[in-house]
């Protein structure tokens, strides 16, 4: 099982805005840990005593969660599973940009006072589109980064209490390998795996994010 790093800074921000009447929009670089952050926060809610029936988690990278479904189909599915009025529902929508007209889904859920909504996606797919217009003043963006240096050390199970620790060498690894969670996980199997992973991720970002954003921007100008 992959070790989860708590990402305390981001969990604290999510706790700060919990049930505060704003949509929590988690953005960031692909594979920087957005989905994992939501899973960790969901588990934190369960540990605090929130009943499982009050939590709904949808991963829209899984085709079975959205194929042949409109945004309204998903909306009524979520609404139908929601706990009774008077109990807060925590709705997690992961990689929501895969849903056509996802803005309407988010807006429809948000208007219910007993629904606390959390979504993830890339900055390009979310905040450069209609979401920022439709939800102006109703969302808070939490932009996450890859591992900090100390999160990187934690992921590598480095004992920072060791006074003989060679921080300079470790920081060299941190800068020259990767601080992306999956990349750190792959490092024990050789640098070639990290290189292949980063190369594939770079191609994905160029093809799916930057080119799509450019096409969208050009289309709006025309």
């Amino acid at each position: 099982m992959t070790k989860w790093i708590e990402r305390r800074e981001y969990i604290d921000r999510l706790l700060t805005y919990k049930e505060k009447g704003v949509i929590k929009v988690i953005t960031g670089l692909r594979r920087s840990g957005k989905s994992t952050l939501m899973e960790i926060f969901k588990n934190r809610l369960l540990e605090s005593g929130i009943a499982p029936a009050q939590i709904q988690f949808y991963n829209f990278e899984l085709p079975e969660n959205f194929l042949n479904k409109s945004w309204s189909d998903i909306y009524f599915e979520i609404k139908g599973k929601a706990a009774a009025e008077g109990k807060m529902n925590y709705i997690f929508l992961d990689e929501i940009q895969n849903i056509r007209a996802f803005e309407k889904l988010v807006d429809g859920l948000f208007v219910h006072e007993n629904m606390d909504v959390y979504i993830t996606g890339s900055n390009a797919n979310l905040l450069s589109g209609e979401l920022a217009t439709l939800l102006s003043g109703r969302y808070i963006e939490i932009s996450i980064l890859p591992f900090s240096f100390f999160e990187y050390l934690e992921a590598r199970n480095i004992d920072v209490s060791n006074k003989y620790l060679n921080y300079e060498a470790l920081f060299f690894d941190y800068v020259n390998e990767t601080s992306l969670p999956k990349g750190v996980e792959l490092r024990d199997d050789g640098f070639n795996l990290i290189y292949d992973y980063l190369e594939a991720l770079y191609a994905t970002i160029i093809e799916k994010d930057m080119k799509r954003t450019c096409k969208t921007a050009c289309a709006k100008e025309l």
Side-chain angles (χ1 to χ4, degrees), residues 22 25 73 75 88 122 126 131 199-200:
V22 290
V25 182
D73 293 331
Y75 167 79
M88 183 60 71
S122 71
L126 289 182
L131 189 66
E199 190 175 51

PDB file of all heavy atoms in Angstrom, residues 22 25 73 75 88 122 126 131 199-200:
ATOM      1  N   VAL A  22     -18.836  27.847   0.985  1.00  0.00           N
ATOM      2  CA  VAL A  22     -18.076  28.087  -0.246  1.00  0.00           C
ATOM      3  C   VAL A  22     -17.663  26.739  -0.831  1.00  0.00           C
ATOM      4  O   VAL A  22     -17.460  25.767  -0.101  1.00  0.00           O
ATOM      5  CB  VAL A  22     -16.810  28.952  -0.007  1.00  0.00           C
ATOM      6  CG1 VAL A  22     -17.187  30.379   0.332  1.00  0.00           C
ATOM      7  CG2 VAL A  22     -15.923  28.341   1.064  1.00  0.00           C
ATOM      8  N   VAL A  25     -12.305  24.377  -4.274  1.00  0.00           N
ATOM      9  CA  VAL A  25     -11.777  23.975  -5.576  1.00  0.00           C
ATOM     10  C   VAL A  25     -10.283  23.687  -5.418  1.00  0.00           C
ATOM     11  O   VAL A  25      -9.484  24.596  -5.185  1.00  0.00           O
ATOM     12  CB  VAL A  25     -11.989  25.081  -6.635  1.00  0.00           C
ATOM     13  CG1 VAL A  25     -11.464  24.615  -7.991  1.00  0.00           C
ATOM     14  CG2 VAL A  25     -13.470  25.451  -6.737  1.00  0.00           C
ATOM     15  N   ASP A  73     -27.992  13.869 -14.776  1.00  0.00           N
ATOM     16  CA  ASP A  73     -28.090  12.493 -14.273  1.00  0.00           C
ATOM     17  C   ASP A  73     -27.271  12.343 -12.987  1.00  0.00           C
ATOM     18  O   ASP A  73     -27.727  11.749 -12.001  1.00  0.00           O
ATOM     19  CB  ASP A  73     -27.573  11.495 -15.311  1.00  0.00           C
ATOM     20  CG  ASP A  73     -28.450  11.412 -16.551  1.00  0.00           C
ATOM     21  OD1 ASP A  73     -29.668  11.649 -16.429  1.00  0.00           O
ATOM     22  OD2 ASP A  73     -27.904  11.130 -17.634  1.00  0.00           O
ATOM     23  N   TYR A  75     -26.262  14.782 -11.026  1.00  0.00           N
ATOM     24  CA  TYR A  75     -26.847  15.637  -9.992  1.00  0.00           C
ATOM     25  C   TYR A  75     -27.958  14.905  -9.239  1.00  0.00           C
ATOM     26  O   TYR A  75     -27.973  14.869  -8.000  1.00  0.00           O
ATOM     27  CB  TYR A  75     -27.395  16.917 -10.625  1.00  0.00           C
ATOM     28  CG  TYR A  75     -28.294  17.714  -9.702  1.00  0.00           C
ATOM     29  CD1 TYR A  75     -27.758  18.532  -8.718  1.00  0.00           C
ATOM     30  CD2 TYR A  75     -29.682  17.625  -9.822  1.00  0.00           C
ATOM     31  CE1 TYR A  75     -28.584  19.252  -7.856  1.00  0.00           C
ATOM     32  CE2 TYR A  75     -30.516  18.337  -8.976  1.00  0.00           C
ATOM     33  CZ  TYR A  75     -29.960  19.142  -7.991  1.00  0.00           C
ATOM     34  OH  TYR A  75     -30.773  19.846  -7.134  1.00  0.00           O
ATOM     35  N   MET A  88     -25.527  17.465   7.289  1.00  0.00           N
ATOM     36  CA  MET A  88     -24.637  17.943   6.240  1.00  0.00           C
ATOM     37  C   MET A  88     -24.149  16.783   5.391  1.00  0.00           C
ATOM     38  O   MET A  88     -23.833  15.706   5.897  1.00  0.00           O
ATOM     39  CB  MET A  88     -23.446  18.686   6.845  1.00  0.00           C
ATOM     40  CG  MET A  88     -22.507  19.292   5.822  1.00  0.00           C
ATOM     41  SD  MET A  88     -23.317  20.518   4.745  1.00  0.00           S
ATOM     42  CE  MET A  88     -23.553  21.873   5.916  1.00  0.00           C
ATOM     43  N   SER A 122      -7.571  20.444 -13.069  1.00  0.00           N
ATOM     44  CA  SER A 122      -6.425  21.290 -13.395  1.00  0.00           C
ATOM     45  C   SER A 122      -6.866  22.745 -13.472  1.00  0.00           C
ATOM     46  O   SER A 122      -8.006  23.043 -13.789  1.00  0.00           O
ATOM     47  CB  SER A 122      -5.799  20.868 -14.723  1.00  0.00           C
ATOM     48  OG  SER A 122      -6.655  21.212 -15.790  1.00  0.00           O
ATOM     49  N   LEU A 126     -10.476  24.330 -15.127  1.00  0.00           N
ATOM     50  CA  LEU A 126     -11.474  24.864 -14.206  1.00  0.00           C
ATOM     51  C   LEU A 126     -11.571  26.378 -14.260  1.00  0.00           C
ATOM     52  O   LEU A 126     -12.527  26.943 -14.750  1.00  0.00           O
ATOM     53  CB  LEU A 126     -11.169  24.418 -12.776  1.00  0.00           C
ATOM     54  CG  LEU A 126     -11.409  22.940 -12.463  1.00  0.00           C
ATOM     55  CD1 LEU A 126     -11.111  22.668 -10.997  1.00  0.00           C
ATOM     56  CD2 LEU A 126     -12.837  22.535 -12.776  1.00  0.00           C
ATOM     57  N   LEU A 131     -16.531  28.191 -14.862  1.00  0.00           N
ATOM     58  CA  LEU A 131     -16.710  28.060 -13.414  1.00  0.00           C
ATOM     59  C   LEU A 131     -16.461  29.374 -12.689  1.00  0.00           C
ATOM     60  O   LEU A 131     -17.213  29.774 -11.805  1.00  0.00           O
ATOM     61  CB  LEU A 131     -15.777  26.974 -12.867  1.00  0.00           C
ATOM     62  CG  LEU A 131     -16.018  26.589 -11.402  1.00  0.00           C
ATOM     63  CD1 LEU A 131     -17.373  25.926 -11.237  1.00  0.00           C
ATOM     64  CD2 LEU A 131     -14.926  25.672 -10.904  1.00  0.00           C
ATOM     65  N   GLU A 199       8.773  12.138 -18.268  1.00  0.00           N
ATOM     66  CA  GLU A 199       8.661  12.391 -19.712  1.00  0.00           C
ATOM     67  C   GLU A 199       7.213  12.207 -20.175  1.00  0.00           C
ATOM     68  O   GLU A 199       6.682  13.027 -20.932  1.00  0.00           O
ATOM     69  CB  GLU A 199       9.588  11.442 -20.477  1.00  0.00           C
ATOM     70  CG  GLU A 199       9.730  11.779 -21.951  1.00  0.00           C
ATOM     71  CD  GLU A 199      10.752  10.892 -22.642  1.00  0.00           C
ATOM     72  OE1 GLU A 199      10.651   9.655 -22.494  1.00  0.00           O
ATOM     73  OE2 GLU A 199      11.655  11.432 -23.308  1.00  0.00           O
ATOM     74  N   ALA A 200       6.559  11.151 -19.695  1.00  0.00           N
ATOM     75  CA  ALA A 200       5.166  10.899 -20.069  1.00  0.00           C
ATOM     76  C   ALA A 200       4.254  11.983 -19.498  1.00  0.00           C
ATOM     77  O   ALA A 200       3.331  12.455 -20.175  1.00  0.00           O
ATOM     78  CB  ALA A 200       4.736   9.525 -19.566  1.00  0.00           C
TER      79      ALA A 200
END
